[in-house]
Structures are given as structure tokens and as C-alpha cells.
Amino acid sequence: MKQSIDFTTLQEKVTATIREAIFTQTFKPGERLIQDELAAKLGVSRMPIREALRCLEREGLVEMLPHKGAQVIGISKEDIEELYYLRSFLEGVTVQKSMNFLTSNDREELQHLVEKMDQDIRNNNLDLFVNHNQEFHTLLQKGCSWKKVKMLNKQFIEGYPAHVPSLIPHSMQVSNEEHKAMLEALDQKDPVKLRQLVELHIMRAGEKLTQLIE
Amino acid sequence: MKQSIDFTTLQEKVTATIREAIFTQTFKPGERLIQDELAAKLGVSRMPIREALRCLEREGLVEMLPHKGAQVIGISKEDIEELYYLRSFLEGVTVQKSMNFLTSNDREELQHLVEKMDQDIRNNNLDLFVNHNQEFHTLLQKGCSWKKVKMLNKQFIEGYPAHVPSLIPHSMQVSNEEHKAMLEALDQKDPVKLRQLVELHIMRAGEKLTQLIE
DNA sequence: TTTTGATGGATTGTATCCAATCTTATTTTT
DNA sequence: AAAAATAAGATTGGATACAATCCATCAAAA
């Protein structure tokens, strides 16, 4: 298998494939996902498909009804507003609780990521920026011992096309400047400020995105 | 089938059964849930078990690892603090957004529920109180058009033994007085106040519960 | 003694088959 | 002609069977 990431289970591959197809609009909102069709198309049996659909249901990408099957969920402007409002609060709480438990190693790693993102911007490498950005956000939350909220944050990021926000012109620069501000708050050991910065960071991204949509 | 609720699907029955077993500590935290065992015990094949475990994973009751299977997740004091903190915020937002879209019918229904709960208290009927309480909270959220947050609220309630909080002595009376205050805020058409009341209502319950635990 | 490597049993992952349910089109009834 | 009943096809739900993976145990080598 020369796939960039090799999953340990067929079901995981299938999940990733379908998720990607939903993000790229190959499967359109409202479209029915028929298990037999998918199985034939992906060359597997229906069993991994079924489990994949359950996982996608958890991520909020599809809806499953008993005896009726799965449908792709559409995302409206309001859904995006909701998503960013929730993310803003939840990630805010998480980093506030996380901060005091971050090691100096983590601090350095965060610094590195910011520098890498600066480079990604210069190279105009969107995919890498998205990855590093995601790493940055995840690492910033590492110290938080609350599990549910961290799981939710992860799901919200996975359950939504992460590159879309970065497609906004000049958004990446602003974004990374805000990351630097977060590092300052970290140095000042000010968890409340850090939380505010994260909240604003995400809300700003959300507003940019909703503006762009209409 | 004369079961109180007849589910349309075996998997749903299995899910309910296992969930109940986790709540009643029949399956203890950390315990492995072996599919074959469960299948034999419940007299079904492994397939509905697998899907049930996925649903419970989404609810946060079990953890599944590839090729390793499912484990019951334990709930610590900190988990409860987290749960109530999150619920407080999320339900708060939801009712604030919901309020202006509640009909006068909804208002009456809420009034009825409060009266029923008063009666449940007099009759010392815990189960009924829990049900009515759940109905009350759900109905209060009805007008909110944000879907994710409503789903989360539902999951948080389902994913945690709802009767536990009501076991606290004299908690039900206080609880229902707070419900009445919410109805007043509703009459005053003050969404912000309603939100505050709901937040306090839930936080109070959470604190009572954590106090009781230690 | 510690580490490495095999081996067998336990458990999960996947495929295939059949049954249950839904949907749609057609026929029957009013 | 409209509504209700019916039957056929499509699709999901569940059972069984087999393959892949993990894990504990023990043996062999360093």
C-alpha cells in the first residue's frame, strides 16, 4: 500500500474515502448513500461500509435512519455560524485549561510550527499549512485533562473541510500573526488572555467564511 | 413485543441494554466488552453488537480501538465537572436561541410539565420526575435552529445516568422552583435571563453532584 | 538474565447469504 | 377518478463462516 497514511483497517480507509468524497462534493448534500453501490465502487463488502457510515454519522456528515439508510447532510450558512461559535467556545475553554500544563518542549514545538507555517505561506503550500495549523491547535490543547471537549474539538475539525477557511485570500498571514500573539500570551502565563485570543481567532475565521459564502 | 418502548431494530435494543448495564455498573469501568460474549448473552449475532458499540462510542460510554475491541469508559469526578460545565454552556446557548420561536402551545406544555413534576415530587416518583424533567429541557430547546448543539445536548443527557442527579435529597424541589423561574423569564420575553437561569440550574446540579461524590 | 522469536488461542475484521422492511408501481375497489 | 390494497423490486438488517490480527506463553539465543 503506497497510500500516504496506511490505515490498520479497511473500514478506516472506506471512512476516509467517503469523507473526502463528501468534502469534494462528489456526493452532494441530500444524496442517498446506498451501501451496495458504495461496496461495488470501492471493491469491498457492505460490512466495512456500514461501519464507516456510522462513523461519519458521528462526525455529523451523514444521517442514518433505521431501514432507510444514509443520506449526506448539507451544510448551510447557519451551520457554519453554529460550528464556529461552538468551536470558538470549546477550544477556548480547552486551551485555558491546557496552558499551565504545557512543557517548555511543547512551547518550542509550537514556535517551530509557527515558523513552518510562515514558510508554507511563502511557498504558497496550502495543504502543508492546513496540516501545521491543525498540529498547532491540537498541541495547544494537549495539557487539558478534559477528554470530552477535546474529542469534540477533534470531531469538529475532522467533520468539516479544514482547507476551506484557508482558501480565503490573505487569511493565512493574519491567522499566523494571531498564532504568534498566542505564543506571547503563553510566555506571559496568562491563560485567560490565551483563551480570548483563541476565541477571537476562530470567530474571525468563521465570519470571514460566512461573508465569503453569500 | 410488549416492551415499554418497542425499537424498530435489534441494534437499538442491544444499545439500550448495554447502556443500561453500564449505568447500573453491571459492566464496570475499564471492563472489556467482548463481542462474542455479549452476543451469546443477548442471544443475537455479533453484527448488531458491533453497531451498538459504535453508537455507545459516540455517546462516550465506551472506547473502541482497532483490532482490540471495546472498553467501558470510567467516569471520574473531573468528568462530571466537565460534563456539567459543557452542558451548562451548551444548553444555555440553545434556549437563548430557542425562546423567541416557542409557541404559546409550547408555553402551556411547559407549564403542565412543571405541574406534573410538582406532583411527581409529592408522590415521590423519581422515574416520572426524571422523564418529565427531560421533556421540559428538551421542549425548552425546541425553537433553536442550530442542530449540532441540540444533538450534543441530547447525547450528554443520554450518555449519562439521568437519575443520579435527582437522587440528591431535596434537589427536586429546588430544581422545579428553578423551572418556574424559567417560565417567568419566558413570559418576560428575556432570552438572556433565561439563558442565565438555565446555566445556573445545570451548574448547581453539577456542583451538588460532585460534592456528593467525595 | 534479558531479549528475541516463534506458536497457538482468543478476538476482531470482512465476506457472503438470507430475512425483514421499505418503496414504488399497478391493480382493485369505492 | 380517487383512494386503498397488493405485489414486485430495491435496500437495509442480521446470521453465519472464514480470514487477519493481536496477545500471552514459552523456547531459544545472546
Side-chain angles (χ1 to χ4, degrees):
Chain A
M1 308 296 150
K2 74 248 353 267
Q3 193 132 21
S4 54
I5 311 158
D6 60 333
F7 302 98
T8 68
T9 238
L10 239 189
Q11 176 253 108
E12 291 178 30
K13 284 186 235 179
V14 172
T15 308
T17 307
I18 300 179
R19 181 171 34 222
E20 194 60 27
I22 292 177
F23 286 170
T24 61
Q25 300 272 327
T26 309
F27 296 137
K28 304 214 165 38
E31 184 172 343
R32 274 187 76 189
L33 296 179
I34 287 143
Q35 303 176 358
D36 262 329
E37 282 182 18
L38 292 171
K41 203 168 291 183
L42 301 180
V44 299
S45 92
R46 265 177 51 217
M47 217 54 47
I49 305 276
R50 278 165 67 166
E51 304 223 323
L53 290 176
R54 286 236 170 270
C55 290
L56 294 169
E57 185 189 24
R58 173 176 47 189
E59 292 176 15
L61 290 177
V62 309
E63 183 186 15
M64 290 189 81
L65 295 171
H67 297 288
K68 298 191 69 177
Q71 265 185 233
V72 179
I73 293 220
I75 33 177
S76 65
K77 200 187 102 189
E78 195 180 20
D79 291 330
I80 293 176
E81 285 172 6
E82 179 184 13
L83 180 74
Y84 279 85
Y85 183 82
L86 295 180
R87 264 195 66 192
S88 159
F89 172 79
L90 295 174
E91 266 196 57
V93 183
T94 312
V95 296
Q96 183 180 352
K97 288 193 69 82
S98 165
M99 199 185 103
N100 288 328
F101 301 94
L102 292 177
T103 67
S104 53
N105 257 341
D106 297 332
R107 170 66 179 81
E108 272 182 48
E109 180 66 21
L110 286 166
Q111 180 68 47
H112 281 147
L113 284 168
V114 167
E115 287 163 11
K116 282 185 195 166
M117 282 188 270
D118 264 337
Q119 216 157 15
D120 297 334
I121 293 173
R122 280 195 294 278
N123 301 340
N124 209 27
N125 191 333
L126 260 174
D127 288 344
L128 262 183
F129 181 87
V130 169
N131 284 341
H132 289 142
N133 181 51
Q134 205 153 313
E135 277 183 60
F136 182 88
H137 279 256
T138 306
L139 183 52
L140 208 58
Q141 298 176 33
K142 186 181 130 190
C144 173
S145 57
W146 280 6
K147 285 168 285 181
K148 277 182 202 292
V149 71
K150 270 161 78 176
M151 211 180 69
L152 285 177
N153 290 333
K154 192 157 153 270
Q155 278 177 24
F156 279 156
I157 288 184
E158 281 173 359
Y160 187 74
H163 19 290
V164 172
S166 311
L167 295 176
I168 300 169
H170 302 293
S171 153
M172 295 191 294
Q173 284 94 332
V174 181
S175 204
N176 213 24
E177 291 310 312
E178 290 169 348
H179 291 155
K180 288 169 192 166
M182 294 177 202
L183 290 183
E184 276 180 38
L186 213 162
D187 288 333
Q188 295 165 6
K189 298 193 185 306
D190 189 341
V192 177
K193 187 174 179 190
L194 177 62
R195 176 180 184 164
Q196 286 175 342
L197 287 171
V198 169
E199 287 181 353
L200 287 173
H201 177 67
I202 296 177
M203 283 305 279
R204 187 194 55 75
E207 277 162 20
K208 269 271 169 67
L209 189 56
T210 47
Q211 278 170 23
L212 199 75
I213 280 185
E214 49 203 18
Chain B
M1 309 296 147
K2 74 249 349 271
Q3 194 134 17
S4 54
I5 311 157
D6 59 336
F7 303 98
T8 69
T9 235
L10 239 191
Q11 177 253 107
E12 292 178 28
K13 283 187 235 177
V14 172
T15 308
T17 307
I18 301 179
R19 181 170 36 220
E20 194 60 27
I22 293 177
F23 286 169
T24 60
Q25 300 272 323
T26 309
F27 296 136
K28 303 213 165 42
E31 185 171 342
R32 277 186 73 190
L33 297 178
I34 286 143
Q35 301 175 0
D36 262 329
E37 282 183 17
L38 292 171
K41 203 167 291 182
L42 301 179
V44 299
S45 93
R46 266 174 52 215
M47 218 54 47
I49 305 274
R50 290 175 67 104
E51 304 223 322
L53 290 176
R54 288 236 171 269
C55 290
L56 294 170
E57 186 188 24
R58 173 176 48 189
E59 292 176 14
L61 291 177
V62 309
E63 182 186 13
M64 289 189 84
L65 294 170
H67 297 288
K68 297 191 66 177
Q71 263 186 248
V72 179
I73 294 221
I75 33 176
S76 64
K77 200 187 102 190
E78 194 180 22
D79 290 330
I80 293 177
E81 284 171 7
E82 178 185 14
L83 180 73
Y84 278 87
Y85 184 82
L86 295 180
R87 264 194 65 191
S88 159
F89 172 79
L90 295 175
E91 266 196 56
V93 182
T94 312
V95 297
Q96 183 180 350
K97 288 193 70 82
S98 164
M99 199 186 101
N100 289 329
F101 300 95
L102 292 177
T103 67
S104 53
N105 257 341
D106 297 331
R107 169 67 179 81
E108 271 182 49
E109 179 66 20
L110 287 167
Q111 180 69 47
H112 281 148
L113 284 168
V114 167
E115 286 163 12
K116 281 184 195 167
M117 281 189 271
D118 264 338
Q119 215 156 16
D120 296 335
I121 294 173
R122 278 196 294 278
N123 302 340
N124 210 27
N125 192 334
L126 260 175
D127 288 343
L128 262 183
F129 181 87
V130 169
N131 284 340
H132 290 142
N133 182 52
Q134 204 153 313
E135 278 182 59
F136 182 88
H137 278 257
T138 306
L139 182 52
L140 207 59
Q141 300 176 33
K142 186 181 133 191
C144 174
S145 57
W146 280 5
K147 284 170 286 181
K148 277 182 202 292
V149 71
K150 269 160 79 176
M151 211 180 67
L152 285 177
N153 289 334
K154 190 157 155 271
Q155 278 177 23
F156 279 156
I157 289 185
E158 281 174 359
Y160 187 74
H163 22 290
V164 172
S166 312
L167 296 176
I168 300 169
H170 302 296
S171 154
M172 296 191 294
Q173 283 95 333
V174 180
S175 204
N176 212 24
E177 290 310 311
E178 289 169 348
H179 291 156
K180 288 169 192 166
M182 294 178 203
L183 289 183
E184 277 180 38
L186 213 162
D187 289 333
Q188 295 164 7
K189 298 195 186 304
D190 188 340
V192 176
K193 186 172 179 189
L194 177 61
R195 176 179 184 164
Q196 285 175 343
L197 288 171
V198 168
E199 286 181 352
L200 287 174
H201 178 67
I202 297 177
M203 283 305 279
R204 187 194 54 76
E207 277 163 20
K208 268 273 170 68
L209 189 56
T210 48
Q211 277 171 24
L212 201 75
I213 280 185
E214 49 204 17

